[in-house]
């Protein structure tokens, strides 16, 4: 079974600063995908960034980037130039490929507060 | 916008009553999922579907059943609701293999 661990239940960061959220996972699969989702107080689940395990290059989306360490099974999210709108719960997710429908496994989340 | 609508958005009911939550999609996607979200647990998969009448269990399927009689609708039923099923329920779709999930806006279910 796959497990996803987010060891930081809560974090805070000053506006305009940089923060890194950690995520580790456990799997015996060689090919898989990893995602970070953001859930603001509105409760919507919003995709932030994705990473294919077979790609060594770290994914980047504007102010969001990841540090993907496949051997260490680590997938951290870096948010640069933090903004008040980044305040949200962040979930790390692992996707196992399966012919009858991919299986997704989520971490327990990190609540991020951006302080003005 | 992935065209996912969950209904109802909020529901309060009593222990022992049956409850059905509906997920409707407009994009004709094959894969649909039901999750529950609880503090300290993140999202946990209840059931999923990989086609009309094709469903399978997730990690927390006890006490829940699902049906998918047409592509656009995926129903989650609590046959006899218990207080432990008080939660926020999310429906999700996957546009295809190797694609991320897109979520509905969630249903807050309270069982008294």
């Amino acid at each position: 079974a796959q497990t996803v661990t987010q060891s930081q239940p809560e974090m805070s960061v000053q506006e305009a600063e940089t923060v890194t959220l950690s995520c580790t996972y456990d799997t015996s699969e060689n090919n898989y995908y990893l995602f970070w989702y953001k859930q603001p107080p509105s409760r919507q689940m919003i995709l932030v960034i994705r990473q294919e395990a077979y790609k060594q290059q770290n994914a980047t989306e504007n102010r969001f980037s990841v540090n993907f360490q496949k051997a260490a099974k680590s997938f951290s999210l870096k948010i640069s130039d933090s903004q008040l709108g980044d305040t949200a719960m962040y979930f790390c997710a692992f996707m196992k490929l399966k012919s009858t429908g991919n299986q997704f496994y989520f971490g327990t989340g990190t609540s991020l507060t951006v302080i003005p | 916008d992935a065209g996912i609508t969950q209904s109802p958005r909020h529901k309060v009911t009593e222990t022992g009553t049956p409850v059905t939550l509906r997920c409707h999609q407009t994009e004709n996607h094959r894969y649909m999922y039901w999750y529950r979200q609880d503090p300290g647990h993140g999202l946990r998969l209840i059931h999923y579907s990989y086609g009309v009448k094709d469903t399978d269990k997730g990690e927390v399927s006890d006490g829940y059943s699902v049906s998918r009689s047409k592509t656009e609708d995926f129903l989650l039923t609590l046959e006899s609701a218990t207080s432990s099923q008080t939660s926020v329920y999310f429906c999700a779709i996957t546009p295809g293999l190797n694609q991320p999930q897109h979520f509905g806006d969630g249903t807050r279910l309270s069982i008294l």
Side-chain angles (χ1 to χ4, degrees), chain A residues 63-77:
Chain A
R63 297 183 295 107
F64 299 88
S65 61
V66 299
N67 183 7
F68 173 49
Q69 302 289 328
K70 190 173 183 180
K73 297 180 182 174
S74 171
F75 182 59
S76 60
L77 175 69

Side-chain angles (χ1 to χ4, degrees), chain B residues 12-46:
Chain B
V12 180
T13 191
E14 295 183 346
T15 300
T17 59
V19 177
T20 296
L21 307 183
R22 180 183 183 234
C23 179
H24 178 79
Q25 58 142 332
T26 60
E27 304 291 326
N28 218 33
H29 295 305
R30 179 180 175 189
Y31 305 104
M32 300 184 76
Y33 304 75
W34 275 109
Y35 292 90
R36 61 178 289 173
Q37 182 180 20
D38 304 289
H41 290 277
L43 278 82
R44 292 180 292 175
L45 181 65
I46 305 172

Side-chain angles (χ1 to χ4, degrees), chain A residues 91-111:
Chain A
F91 292 97
C92 177
F94 172 98
M95 182 177 86
K96 173 183 175 181
L97 303 177
K98 191 175 174 184
S99 60
T100 54
N102 297 332
Q103 296 269 281
F104 291 79
Y105 300 86
F106 290 82
T108 52
T110 295
S111 178

Side-chain angles (χ1 to χ4, degrees), chain A residues 12-27:
Chain A
S12 62
V13 62
Q14 291 290 140
E15 192 175 7
E17 296 294 307
T18 296
V19 64
T20 298
L21 281 58
S22 66
C23 173
T24 59
Y25 58 94
D26 186 24
T27 185

Side-chain angles (χ1 to χ4, degrees), chain B residues 34-88:
Chain B
W34 275 109
Y35 292 90
R36 61 178 289 173
Q37 182 180 20
D38 304 289
H41 290 277
L43 278 82
R44 292 180 292 175
L45 181 65
I46 305 172
H47 282 280
Y48 68 100
S49 171
Y50 48 97
V52 173
K53 291 186 170 40
D54 292 322
T55 64
D56 205 350
K57 296 179 179 180
E59 64 177 308
V60 291
S61 60
D62 287 348
Y64 302 94
S65 62
V66 290
S67 65
R68 193 166 178 203
S69 58
K70 42 186 180 175
T71 301
E72 59 266 35
D73 288 327
F74 191 31
L75 304 180
L76 177 70
T77 298
L78 291 66
E79 299 290 348
S80 178
T82 68
S83 58
S84 64
Q85 293 176 310
T86 291
S87 187
V88 177

